[in-house]
Amino acid sequence: MRRTVLYSMLAAIMVMVASQPMAAQVRLGVRGGLSLGKLKFEREVIDSDNRIGWTAGLLLDVNIPVAGLGFEVSAMYTHRNNRLTDNERIYKRDYIDVPVYARYRLSLPSIDRVVAPLVFTGPCFSFLFSDNGNEYYKNRKTYMSWDVGGGVDLFNRLRVTATYGIGMSKAMKVIGQDYNGEQVNGKDRYWTLSAALLF
């Protein structure tokens, strides 16, 4: 199921790239960075601390120079750590993240070859790869978040960005006797600071 969804998304990306006008500039790149995130639960019986994780992967960048518009699609391996305050245990989750961003790049005369600010937003689809959950703390196999961010392109080659992600669907469910057998759901909230090298 997860593999089918991932293949479908990659096929959609290829169709989008093929449909771009010839003037569009298509580049590949590698990206890595650190994330700081926590789980936000729908009930206040549980909370989680901010914990550092990391992310690394590949990106496809399509720029339409005339309008300053473009889009960016990545395939990232992301490791998240969360410590839940009800039992002080560290829960580790590894995902294949596929963020799909619409982007606006501001071209300033005479300096855009050196530095160009940009903003972006779009969904991020996450597919659980591995975790250390148990029968009471279960991670969802797939979930979606919405990302917003900004950054700069340096020398038209190095892209440095900061992203804030808001979980749109549930990432973890907790079932325990402490909650009268009720299910408590959590959604991700995270900051990501990353750098990408474009070719």
Side-chain angles (χ1 to χ4, degrees), residues 94-116:
D94 295 309
Y95 291 96
I96 300 298
D97 284 345
V98 182
V100 182
Y101 299 148
R103 174 180 46 75
Y104 177 72
R105 185 175 183 266
L106 180 62
S107 294
L108 302 173
S110 73
I111 67 167
D112 63 342
R113 291 182 178 270
V114 177
V115 58

Side-chain angles (χ1 to χ4, degrees), residues 110-195:
S110 73
I111 67 167
D112 63 342
R113 291 182 178 270
V114 177
V115 58
L118 56 94
V119 293
F120 55 87
T121 188
C124 178
F125 304 95
S126 299
F127 304 88
L128 186 65
F129 186 76
S130 67
D131 69 345
N132 67 341
N134 54 40
E135 58 183 318
Y136 300 109
Y137 297 85
K138 295 183 178 180
N139 295 296
R140 304 280 183 171
K141 299 298 183 184
T142 60
Y143 77 94
M144 188 189 85
S145 57
W146 193 270
D147 294 354
V148 293
V152 292
D153 279 352
L154 300 172
F155 304 102
N156 205 29
R157 183 61 60 92
L158 178 65
R159 178 168 296 167
V160 180
T161 57
T163 308
Y164 183 66
I166 303 170
M168 303 298 289
S169 59
K170 299 159 187 172
M172 175 186 272
K173 62 180 179 180
V174 178
I175 303 173
Q177 294 180 349
D178 292 342
Y179 321 118
N180 298 318
E182 296 181 23
Q183 177 176 305
V184 182
N185 297 302
K187 297 180 180 180
D188 270 316
R189 299 283 190 273
Y190 54 85
W191 283 96
T192 304
L193 181 64
S194 65

Side-chain angles (χ1 to χ4, degrees), residues 6 14 41 49 68 79 82 86 89 111 131 163 180 188 199:
L6 187 56
M14 293 174 67
F41 288 90
D49 295 336
H79 177 77
N82 295 105
D86 66 332
R89 181 182 172 189
I111 67 167
D131 69 345
T163 308
N180 298 318
D188 270 316
F199 302 103

Side-chain angles (χ1 to χ4, degrees), residues 31-48:
R31 166 177 283 155
L34 296 175
S35 65
L36 180 67
K38 66 181 295 183
L39 283 161
K40 178 68 175 176
F41 288 90
E42 59 192 6
R43 291 173 54 192
E44 295 183 359
V45 292
I46 315 174
D47 196 5
S48 73

